[in-house]
Amino acid sequence: MKNALIVVLMALPFAALAQIADTSGSSRVHWGEGGHGDYYNPVLHADYSDPDAVRVGEDYYMTSSSFNAVPGLPILHSRDLVNWQLIGHALPMQPPFDVFSKPQHGNGVWAPAIRYHNNEFYIYYPDPDFGIYLVKAKHPSGPWSEPVMVEAGKGLIDPCPLWDDDGQVYLVHAYAGSRAGIKSILVVKKMNAEGTKTLDAGRLVYDGHESDPTIEGPKFYKRNGYYYIFAPAGGVSTGWQLALRSKNIYGPYERKVVMDQGKSTVNGPHQGAWVDDVKGHDWFLHFQDKDAYGRIVHLQPMQWVNDWPVIGKDNDKDGKGEPVASHRKPAFSGAVRKLTPPDGDEFNESSLGLQWQWQANPRATWCFPDAEKGGLRLYSVQQPDSAKNYWDLPNLLLQKFPAEAFVVTTKLSFNPSAKPLKEKTGLVIMGLSYTAIELQARPGGIHIAHIVCEDADKRKAPVETDLGLLTAKDCFLRVEVGLKAVCRFSYSTDGINFKKIETSFTARPGKWVGAKVGIYCTRESSANDAGYAQYDWFRVHPNENAYPKKGITK
């Protein structure tokens, strides 16, 4: 898919939202660019969990886990490790296709590794229920190859390859206790020369039970005659970053904690990628688990001391760093544009913006860009018979929270079928619990309703509040997301005067992912000619009200 789109960059009163747009490609509600050669963390305040990256020439490419979201394996590009642009996905549909035709929350693509070898990009990714896959491409924006099964099995997670100096190829990976019945260990296996198959059962090279429980996410490197395995341990939200080293690929490995939270406010700083810049300076990208916002991305300076990496700032010189809040930017050549991944969408292009993902493998009939009228046409899709709430719907069109505080407004018209299909369309904040503002087709006309579903993952029923009859053809739906992910809905028939829903909702993460925002069109009954919702645009801009004194600043 191509990157769309005309998007709103707002520093204007909300009343102007419906009339004003620009062509920046992103609302830039958050970026890490600090000016004067500095950057601020996080560099990406969005849920790009388990990041891995590689530098090729003067360009950096990053991917991350994507779980059940489709398309999966996002590919981001940067020239300076601070300004990132989403350029595509390596996994347009997720295999096995029939399994992922319905939501598989928390399953699918776990922590991947991206490498560049023999003029090709390689991504190894695990599906904890099926095995380790490989996809390849000549160019990072694609096309990517169909997934190849490197090793089938349950509980094989977080693979990373190493092409050794003697031509041998190895793979390190961890185990998921929920599937394999064992965890907190790392194994190294030989692969064939093509890197497409493992050749043996592997050898255990590190057992973290005593000092490093839940060790996982290993990344394989070689430097100055040492083999290094960088790996997180201690849990997603509270852990630390390890480095293991050995002169022999099978060990024994020495162990050192090279970064933890220290006195910083960044909990669990770990799991990521070591890269160097064009002048040979070293850097480390990693995540921080921030609850409803997901696992956001930080960039740390890194140096080598006695052949050990030191990540972040090491104030007491003990060889263990802690995260920095800001720092001088990495070296780069030429001009660098200020970029963030896209969020808003004017729906003027022939394909969706790259930020959009479905909850399952999509069908072609779910939506179409409307070449005649403009906008995006979402057809109502029948809910699965087993669905208890929207957690079970495959056709939710969602994107990551792009910042700590932001506002989304979308303009739509609803054209339900003449048949009583109980069709609905709206704007949703999705997670383990969710909330939505939606239009409902009823015998007496189209009604506006506010929906709250607590513990949706536990199959709880949603609670509806009727807000009355829609009296105009067009409707504007809005959600303001404030600090600590507090969400407030409002709606309008003219795009200027919005009626607020007084009750707020605190967003919750999904299963291993942050909360998401998006749109949908669904129905309860079957039909041979469904109704549809016409979405004119979906706009994102800073939430000025979240920062009443400081404005939208760092």
Side-chain angles (χ1 to χ4, degrees), residues 7-15 17 20 22 24 26-31 340 343-344 402-409 478-483 539-548 550-553:
V7 189
V8 175
L9 173 59
M10 287 295 301
L12 298 172
F14 289 165
L17 177 66
I20 303 297
D22 75 7
S24 63
S26 170
S27 65
R28 298 180 185 170
V29 288
H30 175 93
W31 68 60
T340 58
D343 41 48
E404 190 173 32
F406 60 97
V407 179
V408 168
T409 307
R478 173 176 289 166
V479 62
E480 299 181 34
V481 178
L483 303 181
R539 294 176 179 168
V540 183
H541 61 91
N543 185 350
E544 297 167 328
N545 294 333
Y547 305 89
K550 298 180 181 179
I552 194 93
T553 67

Side-chain angles (χ1 to χ4, degrees), residues 119-271:
N119 299 314
E120 284 189 296
F121 290 87
Y122 290 65
I123 295 180
Y124 289 81
Y125 77 88
D127 182 316
D129 295 303
F130 296 100
I132 294 170
Y133 292 93
L134 165 67
V135 293
K136 299 195 300 180
K138 293 290 187 181
H139 192 278
S141 62
W144 288 81
S145 66
E146 293 291 326
V148 171
M149 183 67 79
V150 176
E151 181 176 344
K154 284 187 174 291
L156 313 177
I157 61 169
D158 308 351
C160 185
L162 178 74
W163 287 268
D164 209 347
D165 303 330
D166 60 1
Q168 296 294 313
V169 188
Y170 300 91
L171 189 76
V172 63
H173 72 79
Y175 286 92
S178 58
R179 276 78 163 181
I182 58 174
K183 65 178 216 177
S184 300
I185 63 171
L186 303 179
V187 300
V188 170
K189 298 176 177 178
K190 279 191 174 182
M191 288 198 292
N192 62 5
E194 296 77 22
T196 57
K197 290 290 181 183
T198 55
L199 300 178
D200 57 31
R203 294 171 63 176
L204 189 152
V205 298
Y206 190 74
D207 185 338
H209 284 86
E210 183 175 342
S211 302
D212 302 299
T214 321
I215 189 170
E216 56 188 4
K219 296 293 181 285
F220 230 161
Y221 308 102
K222 192 174 185 182
R223 177 186 181 273
N224 285 355
Y226 280 103
Y227 296 94
Y228 290 91
I229 300 174
F230 286 29
V236 170
S237 61
T238 58
W240 51 90
Q241 181 65 37
L242 281 179
L244 309 174
R245 74 176 188 186
S246 174
K247 290 286 188 177
N248 187 300
I249 198 163
Y250 292 115
Y253 279 86
E254 304 172 83
R255 165 199 181 272
K256 188 174 181 61
V257 177
V258 294
M259 181 175 61
D260 62 13
Q261 179 172 348
K263 297 179 180 179
S264 77
T265 60
V266 180
N267 57 291
H270 60 15
Q271 188 152 350

Side-chain angles (χ1 to χ4, degrees), residues 381-463:
V381 177
Q382 185 177 357
Q383 299 177 13
D385 293 338
S386 60
K388 297 295 183 182
N389 54 55
Y390 292 171
W391 180 261
D392 298 319
L393 300 191
N395 62 308
L396 298 187
L397 185 59
L398 305 172
Q399 61 174 276
K400 308 172 191 299
F401 276 21
E404 190 173 32
F406 60 97
V407 179
V408 168
T409 307
T410 187
K411 179 185 177 185
L412 73 149
S413 60
F414 192 21
N415 302 273
S417 170
K419 300 176 182 178
L421 303 180
K422 296 184 179 180
E423 291 174 302
K424 306 170 184 178
T425 187
L427 177 65
V428 65
I429 297 288
M430 194 67 196
L432 296 169
S433 299
Y434 69 83
T435 184
I437 185 169
E438 69 181 20
L439 307 185
Q440 300 180 348
R442 300 184 186 179
I446 297 173
H447 280 244
I448 306 174
H450 180 221
I451 313 297
V452 175
C453 186
E454 300 287 353
D455 298 323
D457 62 313
K458 298 176 182 177
R459 303 178 67 77
K460 297 292 181 67
V463 176

